[in-house]
């Protein structure tokens, strides 16, 4: 089914900002400099940003990977792929091991990745012997959310601004430090700069890009630290190739998650009407199988599971409370 990637801006504005040296590609060259010698050619591992030509125009590239460092203790491997005709030659393993070296090997407490089920045994051989949960890629039309029997009236009220506490992430009442604390509680990730950049990318970008972030704030409770309204949940959506990608979807309970989804669908549909991008009004979201409320919500809408992946760890599994994680931020970066 492919990755269904989003726009390039996410890479430059969020991913590279978090860890500029985290992206590598493998290129076949005639002279051996580094890597695996195959048929008189070597695969040379390069760091993104040092290329002489545009990567999309370089036909010698056969593999790629990201190895993002989140502080001193945590890291994530993603975007790992080798061209099909070059698999089984050692090129993939060479760049994978290079990425692990970049992350500091055993000195880093937790290194995670999402593994498709068929590759789980291979990652286990590389030391990824721990796991936290299974992801399910659910897909369905935005119309299911705003026109469903249970959500139609809610969608109308949200569109008219009649539901208290339902706001855009750009609302000044949103306490951005709470975004980080909520993610840490529900997923174990301690990456404040990344999640704030991720939220900002969705909340404060060019409106014509159709990147949207929404939140629900308590109308009765405040944060004891910031004195701003208590954050009950937030979510983001961005256009990709064949759908809109949702992530994260963090919420204190299933009803908050439902309201966030409805608000997101209302905003995405309105954005498409204002300035059509012609991206199908379909949502993709990677939900957490361990969160039974999330599974029940998407089962109710009839959204199928397209592919499953196992969240695997080398080292310590960060402590988490999956009951509030209805959808991960992004499969590629955790």
């Amino acid at each position: 089914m492919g990755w269904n990637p989003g726009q390039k801006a996410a890479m430059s504005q969020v991913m590279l900002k978090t860890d500029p040296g985290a992206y590598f590609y493998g290129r076949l060259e005639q002279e051996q400099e580094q890597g695996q010698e195959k048929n008189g050619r070597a695969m040379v591992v390069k760091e993104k940003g040092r290329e002489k030509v545009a990567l999309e125009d370089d036909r010698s590239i056969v593999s790629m990977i990201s190895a993002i460092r989140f502080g001193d203790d945590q890291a994530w491997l993603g975007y790992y792929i080798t061209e099909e005709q070059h698999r089984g030659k050692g090129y993939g393993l060479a760049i994978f091991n290079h990425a692990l070296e970049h992350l500091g090997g055993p000195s880093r407490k937790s290194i995670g990745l999402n593994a498709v089920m068929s590759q789980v045994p291979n990652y286990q051989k590389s030391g990824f012997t721990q796991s936290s949960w299974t992801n399910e890629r659910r897909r369905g039309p935005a119309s299911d959310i705003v026109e469903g029997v249970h959500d139609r009236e809610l969608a109308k009220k949200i569109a008219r601004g009649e539901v208290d506490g339902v706001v855009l992430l750009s609302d000044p009442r949103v306490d951005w430090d709470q975004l980080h604390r909520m993610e840490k509680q529900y997923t174990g990730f301690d990456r404040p700069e990344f999640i704030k950049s991720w939220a900002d990318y969705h909340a404060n970008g060019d409106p014509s890009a159709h990147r949207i972030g929404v939140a629900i704030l308590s109308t009765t409770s405040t944060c004891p630290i910031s004195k701003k309204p208590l954050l009950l949940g937030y979510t983001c959506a961005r256009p990709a190739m064949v759908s809109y990608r949702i992530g994260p979807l963090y919420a204190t309970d299933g009803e908050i998650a439902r309201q966030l989804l409805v608000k997101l669908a209302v905003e995405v549909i309105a954005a498409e009407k204002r300035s059509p991008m012609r991206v199908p009004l379909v949502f993709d979201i990677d939900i957490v199988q361990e969160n039974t409320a999330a599974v029940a919500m998407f089962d109710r809408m009839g959204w199928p599971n397209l592919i499953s992946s196992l969240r695997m760890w080398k080292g310590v599994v960060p402590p988490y409370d999956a009951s509030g994680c209805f959808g991960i931020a992004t499969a590629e970066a955790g």
Side-chain angles (χ1 to χ4, degrees), residues 150-169:
H150 301 284
D151 302 318
R152 188 179 301 120
E153 289 305 314
L154 176 62
K156 291 179 181 178
K157 291 179 179 179
I158 285 178
R160 294 193 297 261
E162 296 175 357
V163 181
D164 293 339
V166 180
V167 300
L168 296 175
L169 269 181

Side-chain angles (χ1 to χ4, degrees), residues 55-301:
L55 294 185
E56 56 264 36
D57 297 328
D58 190 341
R59 301 306 172 191
S60 66
I61 293 175
V62 298
S63 62
M64 57 182 274
I65 197 170
S66 64
I68 308 174
R69 296 167 293 192
F70 300 123
D72 295 330
D73 291 334
Q74 296 181 338
W76 192 263
L77 292 168
Y79 294 104
Y80 178 36
I81 193 169
T82 300
E83 281 197 338
E84 188 172 2
Q85 64 268 34
H86 293 292
R87 294 172 188 171
K89 302 177 181 179
Y91 299 147
L93 184 59
I95 200 169
F96 185 83
N97 289 335
H98 183 90
L100 286 178
E101 291 177 9
H102 166 76
L103 296 178
S107 65
R108 196 161 297 272
K109 186 176 179 181
S110 302
I111 302 175
L113 53 79
N114 284 322
V116 295
M117 295 308 182
S118 62
Q119 291 300 313
V120 166
N122 289 331
Y123 289 122
Q124 289 173 333
K125 294 175 184 177
S126 295
F128 289 81
T129 57
Q130 308 296 319
S131 63
S132 46
W133 63 59
T134 299
N135 302 304
E136 295 182 1
R137 173 70 57 85
R138 297 296 186 104
R139 175 179 291 175
S143 59
D144 281 357
I145 300 173
V146 298
E147 297 174 5
V149 174
H150 301 284
D151 302 318
R152 188 179 301 120
E153 289 305 314
L154 176 62
K156 291 179 181 178
K157 291 179 179 179
I158 285 178
R160 294 193 297 261
E162 296 175 357
V163 181
D164 293 339
V166 180
V167 300
L168 296 175
L169 269 181
S170 54
D171 190 295
R173 292 171 292 174
V174 176
D175 175 13
W176 285 50
D177 285 334
Q178 290 187 62
L179 305 183
H180 159 238
R181 291 196 292 271
M182 181 170 279
E183 182 181 65
K184 184 177 180 180
Q185 176 185 351
Y186 294 149
T187 71
F189 273 124
D190 189 8
R191 49 181 189 179
E193 296 307 318
F194 172 84
I195 199 61
K196 290 176 185 177
S197 294
W198 185 256
D200 184 67
Y201 169 73
H202 290 83
N204 296 306
D206 180 358
S208 65
H210 294 194
R211 298 192 298 267
I212 297 165
V214 302
I216 294 183
L217 308 177
S218 173
T219 58
T220 59
S221 301
T222 59
C223 171
I225 300 173
S226 67
K227 308 305 180 184
K228 286 190 173 185
L230 190 68
L231 180 71
L232 301 179
Y234 67 99
T235 188
C236 301
R238 67 195 189 281
M241 301 297 290
V242 298
S243 69
Y244 279 78
R245 294 280 298 274
I246 298 177
L249 176 55
Y250 301 145
T252 53
D253 59 44
E255 177 58 24
I256 295 298
R258 182 176 78 98
Q259 292 182 27
L260 285 167
L261 269 182
V262 172
K263 173 65 171 175
L264 202 60
V266 166
E267 293 293 333
V268 166
I269 292 170
E272 180 63 22
K273 288 181 179 178
R274 285 195 304 269
S275 56
M277 289 188 70
R278 309 198 187 284
V279 175
L281 288 174
V282 172
F283 285 158
D284 274 337
I285 179 171
D286 293 292
I287 72 169
V288 177
Q289 193 179 80
E290 186 177 322
N291 185 333
T292 56
V295 173
M297 181 167 61
F298 290 98
D299 281 350
R300 174 175 59 80
M301 292 190 294

Side-chain angles (χ1 to χ4, degrees), residues 4-54:
N4 186 25
Q7 300 170 340
K8 291 181 181 179
M11 176 72 78
S12 61
Q13 295 180 25
V14 183
M15 307 297 191
L16 289 176
K17 181 180 178 181
T18 301
D19 187 355
Y23 299 86
F24 305 95
Y25 59 91
R27 169 189 289 159
L28 290 179
E29 294 187 357
Q30 292 296 329
E31 296 180 1
Q32 183 170 356
E33 298 177 28
Q34 174 187 350
Q36 303 293 315
E37 179 71 28
K38 296 290 177 182
N39 299 324
R41 295 193 295 177
M43 190 192 77
V44 182
V45 177
K46 301 281 189 177
E47 179 182 329
K48 188 183 186 306
R50 299 179 181 178
E51 59 273 6
K52 296 180 180 179
V53 298

